Amino acid sequence: MVDLALFQPDIPQNTGTILRMGACLGAAVHVIEPAGFPFSEKALRRAGMDYIDHVRIFRHLDWCAFEAWRKEAGRRAVLLTTKAAQPYTDLTYLKDDVLILGQESQGVPQRVHDAADERVTIPMHLGMRSLNIAMAAALVLGESLRQTGAFPVIEQAE
């Protein structure tokens, strides 16, 4: 299953939205610390995030710890960035990809760009900087799940 990774997230509401999406769509969420806000199960529960019990959250002490895990697991890193030339719809996604999202305030440092196996962007009208990070995550995760046939099965209510 495709996972999401948040590089040092700095807006708690966006992180909460992405965690909820992970719960609903079955994608694990990796948080590469440090976060720009208190990130704990207690804080998430206090914020009313009742989806916390349904999402797989993996915390990594820092970028080096995340990279060590990723390489050991043999996972491909796909960075979502405004600095890429390749539209996200042109990439062939793999079931074990990890979609990396940068900080809302400044993206990711060059070392993260350099470590990415693939870099994709969301085409936008000229003059627009970027989408909200949770919206960008939803678009690219949706495309990767579509391509890999990994959307959850819809269960019909009786």
Side-chain angles (χ1 to χ4, degrees):
M1 179 79 183
V2 174
D3 288 358
L4 295 164
L6 308 179
F7 178 83
Q8 301 178 355
D10 52 3
I11 299 179
Q13 295 86 344
N14 287 339
T15 300
T17 299
I18 291 168
L19 289 170
R20 182 176 181 162
M21 180 174 54
C24 291
L25 298 178
V29 179
H30 298 259
V31 177
I32 304 164
E33 300 195 48
F37 54 90
F39 186 85
S40 68
E41 185 174 330
K42 182 178 178 182
L44 292 172
R45 287 194 187 284
R46 193 174 334 119
M49 187 162 155
D50 55 348
Y51 289 82
I52 192 73
D53 292 330
H54 304 284
V55 63
R56 292 171 294 132
I57 302 172
F58 298 94
R59 295 175 72 174
H60 302 274
L61 183 61
D62 55 23
W63 174 252
C64 293
F66 171 79
E67 269 297 90
W69 166 82
R70 184 181 73 80
K71 289 179 178 179
E72 170 87 15
R75 307 285 296 266
R76 182 172 76 162
V78 178
L79 178 64
L80 283 64
T81 175
T82 58
K83 297 178 178 131
Q86 178 172 239
Y88 77 100
T89 51
D90 288 355
L91 181 66
T92 300
Y93 294 89
L94 306 174
K95 285 190 177 194
D96 61 351
D97 281 343
V98 180
L99 307 178
I100 301 174
L101 298 120
Q103 287 180 302
E104 293 91 337
S105 60
Q106 58 190 349
V108 298
Q110 190 61 45
R111 72 182 191 277
V112 175
H113 271 274
D114 294 343
D117 300 302
E118 299 285 349
R119 291 160 206 79
V120 296
T121 194
I122 298 169
M124 292 180 283
H125 282 282
L126 189 63
M128 299 292 101
R129 269 192 340 262
S130 64
L131 288 171
N132 171 282
I133 194 169
M135 294 178 75
L139 281 167
V140 180
L141 179 62
E143 177 63 12
S144 69
L145 294 177
R146 184 191 70 77
Q147 284 188 24
T148 60
F151 268 112
V153 176
I154 299 173
E155 296 179 27
Q156 299 295 322
E158 293 184 27

